[in-house]
Amino acid sequence: NPEDLSSQTIWEAMDGITGEQIRMAQEMLTSQTLKIFPTELTRLHLDYTNYFTYIDSFNDRCVICKRGHNKQKRDDLRQFSLALVTSAGLQIPLVWELYDGNKNDKTEFADFTASAAKAMQAHGIDNPKSVILTFDGGSNSEANFAALPFSFICAHTLTSFPDLYEIDLDMYQEITLRNGHTRCAYEIPELTFSGVSGKGVITFSQALYDGQMAELEKDMKAFRDACAEIESSVGHAQGRYAQMIRRARMEHEAEVSRIEKYNTDIQRERDEKVASGIRIRGKQKQPKPVPVWDEASAAKDLILSSVLKGRKQLQSFVDVSVVVPDDRSRIPQIQWTVDNEKKAEYVRKYFGKKLICTDRVDLSALDILSTYAEQECIENLFRVSKNTDHFSVRPQFHWTDQKIRVHVMICLMGIAVVEVLRRKMAEAGLKYSKEALIEKLATIRDGWVIRDMKQAERVLEDMDEEQKN
């Protein structure tokens, strides 16, 4: 009955699908796919993403969609989040879970990894510690590492180990990864991080270096523009410099008044005790020194906080000074210089470096970096899940948690099915991405040819060689 295929009928049928059925369907699809493509699930990859929605702020039927940090910069909209585990060998959603849009990744980590370990038992993983789970550093904490059922490889903030920055790049060795890419790396056989005794590898990435250099030049331009804006306002009564100094002087005067009142109160208390014949014993409150206004110092602090706001790295090699002449009729001078030698030293020391850590001390630097590089498989899955032409988790037009979960299930199942098709094609020597495969299959069409108004025959359109293959 064509009416059974209406959007309304399908939408209503979604109400009958429970969370347990979704979990079972996910488990069955993964098991069936593993039968078609047997894969060792010894290296898994975890990451998170979120999907913004247009659900009304006052819609209380949807609990899971809340405002939070959105990875596509739509913090103004309600969103739901997705935690997902996949593998580089079989790039399908193995285990996934939706959670509240305002819940951060670090908070979700412990709950999701525990449920993922349980879910993987259905696929023969009885000992989660035999599996290496790779993830980025956003989930790192001592508590999360202590509760993690898997072995792991993760990125870790290098600023926690400032001594490691001192290792010169000349001491790094070039390693060719399993994907054919090369990395310059320095292995640290013993490293304790966030309560874990393991090992680490510092890597140098030219791409990361280039990105940080671009950000530095952007900061330098913003710094120069900010300095120029302040310099151009010097001497103008309503200019930015004058407003900054006026505000600072008012704050200084308020601080002086507060301290003078404090000192006066202390003296009055003492005088009252002496007049009453009360013996003063023990440690007494002492008057505070009254600060003296120093416009040059205040101006320098203000300018530094203004032009270097959010750009603290510049303080390592940029010197800013303010000269306030004794003659008030003369205009203050703002001067700044860049120490290029210090800048080059700073860049060489800090840029392009990343720390990868693991609790598996038996792994080589090659194994650690090659496994971590496979993390791109989950990034590709998320990219595909946001393709609004084919696997459209977003946009979605449901407004209850239950229907959103069913919608996501359908989209992720679609990705899994297309991955099976893509692998089948690859075995036949036809290389396509998931999106390109769907586009190409959509060009193969059939129709009904009616002969003599009596007989109908279903036929394929003529195909080119690529379509035939």
Side-chain angles (χ1 to χ4, degrees):
N1 186 345
E3 293 180 0
D4 291 340
L5 295 179
S6 69
S7 297
Q8 181 68 29
T9 304
I10 294 173
W11 188 80
E12 290 172 353
M14 292 170 73
D15 286 336
I17 301 176
T18 66
E20 178 60 17
Q21 287 176 323
I22 291 175
R23 185 197 64 77
M24 291 174 61
Q26 173 185 324
E27 181 181 301
M28 292 170 66
L29 182 62
T30 299
S31 296
Q32 187 67 16
T33 307
L34 286 168
K35 290 179 182 177
I36 301 172
F37 297 110
T39 306
E40 283 191 15
L41 301 178
T42 54
R43 301 194 306 275
L44 303 180
H45 299 269
L46 162 67
D47 207 352
Y48 318 85
T49 193
N50 44 45
Y51 304 90
F52 63 79
T53 72
Y54 296 101
I55 295 174
D56 188 82
S57 297
F58 300 101
N59 186 334
D60 57 4
R61 294 181 64 191
C62 182
V63 176
I64 198 171
C65 290
K66 297 176 180 175
R67 284 181 176 81
H69 174 65
N70 182 265
K71 299 182 189 295
Q72 293 180 286
K73 314 299 183 185
R74 292 307 307 262
D75 294 352
D76 57 316
L77 299 174
R78 292 171 69 177
Q79 65 181 18
F80 59 90
S81 298
L82 171 71
L84 187 145
V85 166
T86 187
S87 73
L90 186 64
Q91 295 182 30
I92 66 169
L94 296 172
V95 183
W96 56 270
E97 183 173 278
L98 295 188
Y99 60 99
D100 291 357
N102 65 346
K103 189 176 181 182
N104 62 43
D105 301 346
K106 186 179 291 187
T107 307
E108 173 66 12
F109 183 83
D111 292 338
F112 180 62
T113 52
S115 62
K118 184 177 179 181
M120 294 308 294
Q121 291 177 357
H123 309 303
I125 308 298
D126 296 322
N127 178 20
K129 283 295 182 182
S130 65
V131 175
I132 299 172
L133 184 68
T134 306
F135 49 89
D136 282 326
S139 301
N140 295 355
S141 74
E142 192 165 334
N144 280 345
F145 284 140
L148 182 60
F150 300 96
S151 296
F152 66 90
I153 295 173
C154 70
H156 197 286
T157 174
L158 191 51
T159 54
S160 301
F161 307 95
D163 291 346
L164 297 183
Y165 282 114
E166 303 296 335
I167 301 172
D168 193 84
L169 286 174
D170 292 337
M171 299 180 68
Y172 286 46
Q173 294 182 336
E174 189 173 278
I175 298 176
T176 302
L177 307 185
R178 287 193 290 261
N179 61 10
H181 297 164
T182 59
R183 287 283 187 277
C184 290
Y186 183 89
E187 186 172 352
I188 307 159
E190 295 181 1
L191 184 67
T192 300
F193 55 94
S194 301
V196 178
S197 296
K199 69 186 303 183
V201 180
I202 314 173
T203 68
F204 174 82
S205 165
Q206 187 62 46
L208 177 59
Y209 176 91
D210 293 341
Q212 290 174 322
M213 281 298 296
E215 190 67 26
L216 177 62
E217 293 307 317
K218 181 180 175 182
D219 284 349
M220 286 296 300
K221 182 181 184 304
F223 165 78
R224 288 192 291 267
D225 292 345
C227 284
E229 181 185 354
I230 294 175
E231 286 175 338
S232 66
S233 71
V234 171
H236 298 280
Q238 299 302 319
R240 183 179 175 188
Y241 177 82
Q243 291 177 0
M244 290 166 58
I245 294 298
R246 190 158 50 243
R247 191 182 308 115
R249 187 180 286 111
M250 291 172 61
E251 291 174 356
H252 168 80
E253 291 171 353
E255 178 68 5
V256 168
S257 298
R258 187 186 67 80
I259 291 175
E260 287 178 344
K261 182 178 182 303
Y262 176 83
N263 292 344
T264 301
D265 291 343
I266 289 176
Q267 189 61 45
R268 185 178 63 251
E269 288 178 11
R270 286 182 180 178
D271 293 344
E272 289 174 353
K273 288 180 180 180
V274 170
S276 302
I278 299 173
R279 187 177 178 181
I280 300 175
R281 296 179 179 179
K283 189 176 181 180
Q284 300 297 309
K285 293 181 179 178
Q286 298 298 318
K288 296 181 179 179
V290 178
V292 178
W293 172 252
D294 182 349
E295 184 160 321
S297 177
K300 180 176 180 179
D301 291 342
L302 284 169
I303 291 169
L304 279 173
S305 64
S306 177
V307 300
L308 297 180
K309 185 178 181 181
R311 298 181 280 270
K312 289 186 178 180
Q313 60 180 348
L314 301 187
Q315 295 182 26
S316 300
F317 49 85
V318 175
D319 182 57
V320 179
S321 61
V322 180
V323 179
V324 179
D326 295 332
D327 182 1
R328 292 287 180 174
S329 64
R330 297 177 61 194
I331 295 176
Q333 298 293 313
I334 301 172
Q335 300 171 345
W336 59 272
T337 57
V338 177
D339 189 323
N340 289 317
E341 287 188 8
K342 285 187 177 180
K343 179 182 176 183
E345 182 182 343
Y346 179 89
V347 166
R348 180 175 175 82
K349 183 176 180 179
Y350 293 106
F351 280 21
K353 296 180 179 179
K354 190 172 186 177
L355 177 62
I356 312 298
C357 296
T358 180
D359 62 340
R360 288 281 297 271
V361 294
D362 59 311
L363 297 178
S364 66
L366 171 61
D367 291 331
I368 294 169
L369 297 182
S370 293
T371 302
Y372 186 79
E374 292 173 351
Q375 190 76 350
E376 66 179 4
C377 69
I378 197 165
E379 295 167 0
N380 291 338
L381 263 182
F382 286 151
R383 177 183 54 78
V384 168
S385 76
K386 295 181 180 182
N387 184 321
T388 54
D389 291 328
H390 298 302
F391 312 101
S392 49
V393 171
R394 181 193 59 77
Q396 57 87 35
F397 301 98
H398 309 289
W399 57 86
T400 64
D401 295 350
Q402 188 269 346
K403 279 191 168 61
I404 290 172
R405 286 189 169 90
V406 176
H407 171 79
V408 172
M409 176 195 73
I410 293 169
C411 295
L412 296 185
M413 282 186 166
I415 291 173
V417 170
V418 172
E419 174 62 13
V420 172
L421 291 174
R422 190 193 67 79
R423 290 280 294 270
K424 289 274 191 184
M425 293 285 191
E427 288 180 347
L430 302 173
K431 306 290 185 180
Y432 293 99
S433 67
K434 293 182 180 68
E435 299 94 329
L437 175 58
I438 292 295
E439 293 284 357
K440 184 54 62 176
L441 288 174
T443 66
I444 302 174
R445 298 177 293 187
D446 65 1
W448 294 93
V449 176
I450 301 175
R451 305 182 188 282
D452 301 328
M453 301 304 292
K454 296 179 180 179
Q455 183 180 0
E457 180 183 1
R458 189 175 185 176
V459 295
L460 279 172
E461 287 187 354
D462 290 341
M463 294 184 288
D464 59 29
E465 288 303 312
E466 186 180 14
Q467 290 172 322
K468 289 177 181 178
N469 288 335

